[in-house]
Amino acid sequence: MSNYIANPINDLREIRSLMERSSYFIGLSGLSGIGAGLFALAGVALTVTYQWAGGHDLVFIHRSLGLASHPWGIAPLPFLVMMAGFVFAGAMASGYYFTVRRAKRMGQKILDKKTYKLAFHLAVPLVVGGIFSLALIYHEHGGFIGPTTLIFYGLALLNGSGYAREELSYLGYLEIVLGLISCFFIGYGLVFWAIGFGLLHIAYGLWMYRKYDRA
């Protein structure tokens, strides 16, 4: 009798799994979010160290972007660009590694139409937000870069959530709300970056890992 009940349940689970694979990319790993969050926190920590070494207050980093000298031998703006590149490259590398590993374990291809659609829908808001951030730097409104990046990143997650786990939208909403709040605390961009790109990513990654990866 127990076998008769268990088999239909297993069949329903298999049908659900097949439907999920056909509708969106499910290779995203919770460890990818944790890795991205750790790289973000490392970038913030190095930036704070850079500011303290130069004798500049954490709150007013956007006022020192044009300084040409620093004990480390690099001006603030080039340093921030390099640090952003470091965090982005580290997050992408860890995300790719853990995602490929999980996709292989689930028997799913990493490159298919669903992957390309997810990448495209993530990229559009990110590119627009990146160009808008460059415009803010050009017009010397660096204090709004923090809120801008958080908001556009959240919009990118919402835009791509239809091609990944729907829980991705939850992180998107949190990033947008955090970005809107940070609009009223100009100068504290690093603090909100640490929360949004660091702590939220780690918390989301742990939740997704316990819900899907470990299972």
Side-chain angles (χ1 to χ4, degrees):
M1 183 66 179
S2 60
N3 291 336
Y4 176 78
I5 295 175
N7 288 336
I9 294 176
N10 290 334
D11 291 342
L12 289 174
R13 288 175 177 172
E14 183 65 23
I15 292 172
R16 179 183 177 184
S17 178
L18 291 173
M19 291 178 64
E20 287 180 341
R21 294 190 184 195
S22 63
S23 60
Y24 51 74
F25 178 73
I26 57 174
L28 292 173
S29 170
L31 295 176
S32 301
I34 296 174
L38 291 176
F39 272 102
L41 291 179
V44 171
L46 286 173
T47 303
V48 172
T49 303
Y50 172 88
Q51 290 177 281
W52 285 343
H56 302 296
D57 187 56
L58 174 64
V59 176
F60 300 108
I61 187 170
H62 64 287
R63 298 183 183 179
S64 62
L65 292 178
L67 296 180
S69 61
H70 188 275
W72 290 7
I74 180 172
L77 184 55
F79 173 82
L80 290 176
V81 172
M82 291 175 58
M83 189 55 57
F86 161 76
V87 173
F88 180 77
M92 290 296 293
S94 63
Y96 179 80
Y97 172 76
F98 290 117
T99 298
V100 169
R101 191 179 70 169
R102 184 172 189 270
K104 288 182 178 179
R105 189 174 72 244
M106 299 179 65
Q108 186 179 19
K109 294 181 179 179
I110 189 66
L111 296 177
D112 57 15
K113 290 183 178 180
K114 296 185 292 293
T115 308
Y116 295 136
K117 288 181 179 180
L118 173 62
F120 175 78
H121 283 80
L122 287 173
V124 171
L126 291 178
V127 171
V128 174
I131 295 174
F132 186 71
S133 297
L134 291 176
L136 291 175
I137 294 175
Y138 178 80
H139 292 289
E140 299 182 355
H141 295 298
F144 283 97
I145 294 178
T148 297
T149 51
L150 287 169
I151 291 172
F152 276 95
Y153 178 63
L155 291 174
L157 295 179
L158 287 181
N159 204 37
S161 62
Y163 300 93
R165 289 286 186 187
E166 70 175 271
E167 288 91 340
L168 195 64
S169 62
Y170 302 158
L171 180 60
Y173 287 122
L174 290 175
E175 298 286 357
I176 292 173
V177 171
L178 187 65
L180 292 175
I181 294 174
S182 67
C183 289
F184 299 93
F185 297 92
I186 299 302
Y188 291 87
L190 279 177
V191 176
F192 286 97
W193 271 356
I195 297 173
F197 294 115
L199 299 182
L200 284 183
H201 265 145
I202 293 174
Y204 174 80
L206 287 172
W207 177 46
M208 293 295 288
Y209 178 79
R210 294 186 63 181
K211 186 174 183 180
Y212 294 111
D213 294 51
R214 193 169 63 177

